[in-house]
Amino acid sequence: MEQKFIPKSLVASQESGKVTWQSPSNIALVKYWGKKNPQLPENTSISFTLSNCHTTTTLTYRKRKEIGPTFDFEVFLEGKVQEDFKPKIQTFFERVERYLPFIRDYSFMIETENSFPHSSGIASSASGMSAIALCLMSIEKEMNNDLSEEYFYQKASFLSRLGSGSACRSVKGNLVVWGAHQNIENSSDFYGVPYLGKVAPFFENYQDTILLIDKGEKQVSSTVGHNLMHGHPFAAQRFEQAQENIDRIKGIFERSDIDQFIALVESEALTLHAMMMTSQPYFILMKSNTLEVINRVWEYRRSTGSKLCFTLDAGANVHLLYPEHEKETVRTFISSKLASYCKDKSFIHDCVGPGAKQL
Ligand code: PMV
């Protein structure tokens, strides 16, 4: 499978150049937790691509006079040299070199900025890794103009995955599936594909407000968390459940069954955290305010009949999902009743979006 992403002949013809991509974050509805080498998921996942939370990356490249044994790159975040990003990008370059043989021929300057505060606890790996993968694809395209659009995006997603698994779902919108599933045509473990099943219009402009509960560094990284699924006592059942949940969510999208949507999405979030709490060693990424918010959301739903629900990433922050027609009432509820559970009362309004774009 990977063979199709190894260019047959590619001449590093460009002397120098500059490309910029803006790529969004995404939020999984059916979660990916557990992987095999190299960055292949143990189960299928599906996510909403977001809009407002994004990374913009400019890649400036210049032919090297002499090709050395190492990659040549510098990384800047918001204009400042970012030495601590280098190891992750070094690993990424090592993983993608087979597919982008020209990267050793160039010196790169990687300038990146996020639309959300760096210390917000929002994972920037999905938006960041997909933005850089797209920039590299644009360089490949300059050397080979025959690349089809489909190949371009598929390979961009494939490369993003090698940077950070969930990043492969950020290239396209609005709903993206990653991981082979027997009932999803063209789905693959190697890259994300846009979900082409029937989706009630209701879900196309879904809202996501991210409550920033804790802005600190996570005590346990996703990499460590994924690895703890090896030998996890509930792993096999979990992976099977996720495959079944993909079938269920397909039906939910078709029928516009919002109550079942809420039940599935909240259960997926709590299951993800249950896997963490039952790993060896066990860990908890939720904070007490995460639980406070969840209880307030349930109370609000009970007392108003609202369709507001929550989901969680691998962290303490809460993503609040709701239909567009509830925007005003839900946002009033958030600022009046939930903001006090957030660090510095901060939250970010976002919504479902179409995916990355070249600037
Ligand atoms: O892409 P990673 O390795 O950071 O893993 C992210 C996993 C979750 O965000 C918890 C779930 C998901 O499917 O995005």
Side-chain angles (χ1 to χ4, degrees), residues 8 28 33 106 124 169 174 177 185 207 235 247 268 273 278 284 325 342:
K8 288 197 185 55
W33 198 243
Y106 291 98
S124 57
R169 298 189 312 239
N174 293 359
V177 174
E185 228 181 299
Q207 306 292 306
D247 280 324
E268 273 289 319
H273 285 257
T278 47
I284 301 180
H325 66 79
C342 304

PDB file of all heavy atoms in Angstrom, residues 8 28 33 106 124 169 174 177 185 207 235 247 268 273 278 284 325 342:
ATOM      1  N   LYS A   8       8.220   7.637  -8.201  1.00  0.00           N
ATOM      2  CA  LYS A   8       9.085   6.827  -9.078  1.00  0.00           C
ATOM      3  C   LYS A   8      10.312   7.631  -9.480  1.00  0.00           C
ATOM      4  O   LYS A   8      11.425   7.192  -9.362  1.00  0.00           O
ATOM      5  CB  LYS A   8       8.305   6.360 -10.296  1.00  0.00           C
ATOM      6  CG  LYS A   8       7.313   5.304  -9.873  1.00  0.00           C
ATOM      7  CD  LYS A   8       6.762   4.490 -11.003  1.00  0.00           C
ATOM      8  CE  LYS A   8       5.700   3.553 -10.464  1.00  0.00           C
ATOM      9  NZ  LYS A   8       4.618   4.238  -9.713  1.00  0.00           N
ATOM     10  N   ALA A  28     -12.530  14.039  17.552  1.00  0.00           N
ATOM     11  CA  ALA A  28     -13.054  12.702  17.238  1.00  0.00           C
ATOM     12  C   ALA A  28     -14.385  12.458  17.941  1.00  0.00           C
ATOM     13  O   ALA A  28     -14.577  12.848  19.097  1.00  0.00           O
ATOM     14  CB  ALA A  28     -12.043  11.648  17.650  1.00  0.00           C
ATOM     15  N   TRP A  33      -7.626   5.161  20.015  1.00  0.00           N
ATOM     16  CA  TRP A  33      -6.772   5.020  21.209  1.00  0.00           C
ATOM     17  C   TRP A  33      -6.172   3.630  21.175  1.00  0.00           C
ATOM     18  O   TRP A  33      -6.839   2.649  21.460  1.00  0.00           O
ATOM     19  CB  TRP A  33      -7.596   5.244  22.490  1.00  0.00           C
ATOM     20  CG  TRP A  33      -6.749   5.540  23.707  1.00  0.00           C
ATOM     21  CD1 TRP A  33      -6.652   4.784  24.835  1.00  0.00           C
ATOM     22  CD2 TRP A  33      -5.901   6.683  23.912  1.00  0.00           C
ATOM     23  NE1 TRP A  33      -5.787   5.374  25.727  1.00  0.00           N
ATOM     24  CE2 TRP A  33      -5.305   6.541  25.184  1.00  0.00           C
ATOM     25  CE3 TRP A  33      -5.567   7.797  23.147  1.00  0.00           C
ATOM     26  CZ2 TRP A  33      -4.412   7.478  25.706  1.00  0.00           C
ATOM     27  CZ3 TRP A  33      -4.681   8.733  23.663  1.00  0.00           C
ATOM     28  CH2 TRP A  33      -4.125   8.559  24.937  1.00  0.00           C
ATOM     29  N   TYR A 106      17.319  19.910   0.629  1.00  0.00           N
ATOM     30  CA  TYR A 106      16.983  21.304   0.950  1.00  0.00           C
ATOM     31  C   TYR A 106      17.254  21.673   2.415  1.00  0.00           C
ATOM     32  O   TYR A 106      17.211  20.818   3.297  1.00  0.00           O
ATOM     33  CB  TYR A 106      15.492  21.552   0.669  1.00  0.00           C
ATOM     34  CG  TYR A 106      15.156  21.524  -0.801  1.00  0.00           C
ATOM     35  CD1 TYR A 106      14.632  20.374  -1.387  1.00  0.00           C
ATOM     36  CD2 TYR A 106      15.391  22.638  -1.605  1.00  0.00           C
ATOM     37  CE1 TYR A 106      14.335  20.337  -2.753  1.00  0.00           C
ATOM     38  CE2 TYR A 106      15.101  22.608  -2.962  1.00  0.00           C
ATOM     39  CZ  TYR A 106      14.577  21.462  -3.530  1.00  0.00           C
ATOM     40  OH  TYR A 106      14.295  21.429  -4.864  1.00  0.00           O
ATOM     41  N   SER A 124      -1.854  20.794  19.473  1.00  0.00           N
ATOM     42  CA  SER A 124      -1.547  21.424  18.198  1.00  0.00           C
ATOM     43  C   SER A 124      -0.942  20.417  17.235  1.00  0.00           C
ATOM     44  O   SER A 124      -0.609  20.758  16.114  1.00  0.00           O
ATOM     45  CB  SER A 124      -0.596  22.594  18.412  1.00  0.00           C
ATOM     46  OG  SER A 124       0.559  22.120  19.066  1.00  0.00           O
ATOM     47  N   ARG A 169      -6.662  13.160   9.974  1.00  0.00           N
ATOM     48  CA  ARG A 169      -8.074  13.520   9.818  1.00  0.00           C
ATOM     49  C   ARG A 169      -8.277  15.016   9.660  1.00  0.00           C
ATOM     50  O   ARG A 169      -9.415  15.478   9.598  1.00  0.00           O
ATOM     51  CB  ARG A 169      -8.886  12.993  11.016  1.00  0.00           C
ATOM     52  CG  ARG A 169      -8.886  11.464  11.187  1.00  0.00           C
ATOM     53  CD  ARG A 169      -9.891  11.068  12.267  1.00  0.00           C
ATOM     54  NE  ARG A 169      -9.667  11.915  13.426  1.00  0.00           N
ATOM     55  CZ  ARG A 169      -9.358  11.489  14.647  1.00  0.00           C
ATOM     56  NH1 ARG A 169      -9.280  10.196  14.890  1.00  0.00           N
ATOM     57  NH2 ARG A 169      -9.150  12.334  15.621  1.00  0.00           N
ATOM     58  N   ASN A 174     -15.832  17.494   6.092  1.00  0.00           N
ATOM     59  CA  ASN A 174     -16.274  17.996   7.386  1.00  0.00           C
ATOM     60  C   ASN A 174     -16.241  16.893   8.418  1.00  0.00           C
ATOM     61  O   ASN A 174     -16.076  17.152   9.598  1.00  0.00           O
ATOM     62  CB  ASN A 174     -17.715  18.502   7.313  1.00  0.00           C
ATOM     63  CG  ASN A 174     -17.882  19.740   6.443  1.00  0.00           C
ATOM     64  OD1 ASN A 174     -16.942  20.268   5.883  1.00  0.00           O
ATOM     65  ND2 ASN A 174     -19.101  20.194   6.368  1.00  0.00           N
ATOM     66  N   VAL A 177     -13.021   9.891   8.210  1.00  0.00           N
ATOM     67  CA  VAL A 177     -12.862   8.550   8.794  1.00  0.00           C
ATOM     68  C   VAL A 177     -11.419   8.106   8.604  1.00  0.00           C
ATOM     69  O   VAL A 177     -10.856   8.256   7.529  1.00  0.00           O
ATOM     70  CB  VAL A 177     -13.769   7.530   8.057  1.00  0.00           C
ATOM     71  CG1 VAL A 177     -13.515   6.113   8.555  1.00  0.00           C
ATOM     72  CG2 VAL A 177     -15.220   7.900   8.224  1.00  0.00           C
ATOM     73  N   GLU A 185     -16.671   2.526   2.506  1.00  0.00           N
ATOM     74  CA  GLU A 185     -15.940   2.357   1.251  1.00  0.00           C
ATOM     75  C   GLU A 185     -14.674   3.210   1.248  1.00  0.00           C
ATOM     76  O   GLU A 185     -14.705   4.365   1.701  1.00  0.00           O
ATOM     77  CB  GLU A 185     -16.839   2.814   0.106  1.00  0.00           C
ATOM     78  CG  GLU A 185     -16.863   1.804  -1.034  1.00  0.00           C
ATOM     79  CD  GLU A 185     -17.743   2.290  -2.159  1.00  0.00           C
ATOM     80  OE1 GLU A 185     -18.961   2.485  -1.897  1.00  0.00           O
ATOM     81  OE2 GLU A 185     -17.212   2.482  -3.248  1.00  0.00           O
ATOM     82  N   GLN A 207     -21.685  22.969  16.067  1.00  0.00           N
ATOM     83  CA  GLN A 207     -20.845  23.897  16.830  1.00  0.00           C
ATOM     84  C   GLN A 207     -20.021  23.129  17.863  1.00  0.00           C
ATOM     85  O   GLN A 207     -20.472  22.110  18.387  1.00  0.00           O
ATOM     86  CB  GLN A 207     -21.731  24.918  17.572  1.00  0.00           C
ATOM     87  CG  GLN A 207     -22.703  25.665  16.664  1.00  0.00           C
ATOM     88  CD  GLN A 207     -21.992  26.600  15.700  1.00  0.00           C
ATOM     89  OE1 GLN A 207     -21.216  27.444  16.108  1.00  0.00           O
ATOM     90  NE2 GLN A 207     -22.247  26.424  14.408  1.00  0.00           N
ATOM     91  N   ALA A 235      -8.657  -4.132  25.960  1.00  0.00           N
ATOM     92  CA  ALA A 235      -8.336  -3.613  24.616  1.00  0.00           C
ATOM     93  C   ALA A 235      -9.177  -4.260  23.514  1.00  0.00           C
ATOM     94  O   ALA A 235      -9.779  -3.554  22.697  1.00  0.00           O
ATOM     95  CB  ALA A 235      -6.847  -3.799  24.334  1.00  0.00           C
ATOM     96  N   ASP A 247     -20.543   1.804  12.788  1.00  0.00           N
ATOM     97  CA  ASP A 247     -21.799   1.406  12.133  1.00  0.00           C
ATOM     98  C   ASP A 247     -22.973   2.183  12.722  1.00  0.00           C
ATOM     99  O   ASP A 247     -23.850   2.643  12.009  1.00  0.00           O
ATOM    100  CB  ASP A 247     -22.050  -0.096  12.331  1.00  0.00           C
ATOM    101  CG  ASP A 247     -21.233  -0.944  11.359  1.00  0.00           C
ATOM    102  OD1 ASP A 247     -21.055  -0.500  10.207  1.00  0.00           O
ATOM    103  OD2 ASP A 247     -20.772  -2.029  11.750  1.00  0.00           O
ATOM    104  N   GLU A 268     -18.381   7.441  24.052  1.00  0.00           N
ATOM    105  CA  GLU A 268     -17.032   7.314  23.481  1.00  0.00           C
ATOM    106  C   GLU A 268     -16.011   8.109  24.312  1.00  0.00           C
ATOM    107  O   GLU A 268     -14.913   7.638  24.572  1.00  0.00           O
ATOM    108  CB  GLU A 268     -17.016   7.823  22.036  1.00  0.00           C
ATOM    109  CG  GLU A 268     -17.382   6.769  21.013  1.00  0.00           C
ATOM    110  CD  GLU A 268     -16.302   5.704  20.834  1.00  0.00           C
ATOM    111  OE1 GLU A 268     -15.122   6.053  20.819  1.00  0.00           O
ATOM    112  OE2 GLU A 268     -16.660   4.527  20.711  1.00  0.00           O
ATOM    113  N   HIS A 273     -11.484   7.738  28.401  1.00  0.00           N
ATOM    114  CA  HIS A 273     -10.871   8.005  29.709  1.00  0.00           C
ATOM    115  C   HIS A 273     -10.906   6.770  30.615  1.00  0.00           C
ATOM    116  O   HIS A 273     -10.006   6.580  31.440  1.00  0.00           O
ATOM    117  CB  HIS A 273     -11.508   9.252  30.347  1.00  0.00           C
ATOM    118  CG  HIS A 273     -11.000  10.504  29.683  1.00  0.00           C
ATOM    119  ND1 HIS A 273     -10.060  11.322  30.253  1.00  0.00           N
ATOM    120  CD2 HIS A 273     -11.248  11.020  28.450  1.00  0.00           C
ATOM    121  CE1 HIS A 273      -9.762  12.297  29.402  1.00  0.00           C
ATOM    122  NE2 HIS A 273     -10.479  12.140  28.305  1.00  0.00           N
ATOM    123  N   THR A 278      -7.907   2.403  33.449  1.00  0.00           N
ATOM    124  CA  THR A 278      -7.743   0.962  33.682  1.00  0.00           C
ATOM    125  C   THR A 278      -6.473   0.422  33.022  1.00  0.00           C
ATOM    126  O   THR A 278      -6.312  -0.782  32.872  1.00  0.00           O
ATOM    127  CB  THR A 278      -8.996   0.203  33.168  1.00  0.00           C
ATOM    128  OG1 THR A 278      -9.322   0.682  31.850  1.00  0.00           O
ATOM    129  CG2 THR A 278     -10.190   0.424  34.064  1.00  0.00           C
ATOM    130  N   ILE A 284      -5.196   9.526  35.201  1.00  0.00           N
ATOM    131  CA  ILE A 284      -6.435  10.296  35.021  1.00  0.00           C
ATOM    132  C   ILE A 284      -6.066  11.631  34.401  1.00  0.00           C
ATOM    133  O   ILE A 284      -5.236  12.354  34.955  1.00  0.00           O
ATOM    134  CB  ILE A 284      -7.154  10.534  36.377  1.00  0.00           C
ATOM    135  CG1 ILE A 284      -7.500   9.203  37.046  1.00  0.00           C
ATOM    136  CG2 ILE A 284      -8.423  11.360  36.174  1.00  0.00           C
ATOM    137  CD1 ILE A 284      -8.211   9.343  38.394  1.00  0.00           C
ATOM    138  N   HIS A 325     -28.742  25.871  15.621  1.00  0.00           N
ATOM    139  CA  HIS A 325     -29.922  26.656  16.039  1.00  0.00           C
ATOM    140  C   HIS A 325     -29.972  26.889  17.553  1.00  0.00           C
ATOM    141  O   HIS A 325     -30.772  27.673  18.035  1.00  0.00           O
ATOM    142  CB  HIS A 325     -31.228  26.026  15.505  1.00  0.00           C
ATOM    143  CG  HIS A 325     -31.541  24.686  16.093  1.00  0.00           C
ATOM    144  ND1 HIS A 325     -32.099  24.537  17.330  1.00  0.00           N
ATOM    145  CD2 HIS A 325     -31.339  23.439  15.612  1.00  0.00           C
ATOM    146  CE1 HIS A 325     -32.237  23.249  17.589  1.00  0.00           C
ATOM    147  NE2 HIS A 325     -31.771  22.576  16.562  1.00  0.00           N
ATOM    148  N   CYS A 342     -13.491  27.226  33.948  1.00  0.00           N
ATOM    149  CA  CYS A 342     -12.361  27.243  33.005  1.00  0.00           C
ATOM    150  C   CYS A 342     -11.220  28.064  33.592  1.00  0.00           C
ATOM    151  O   CYS A 342     -11.458  29.014  34.334  1.00  0.00           O
ATOM    152  CB  CYS A 342     -12.773  27.896  31.688  1.00  0.00           C
ATOM    153  SG  CYS A 342     -14.189  27.119  30.915  1.00  0.00           S
TER     154      CYS A 342
END
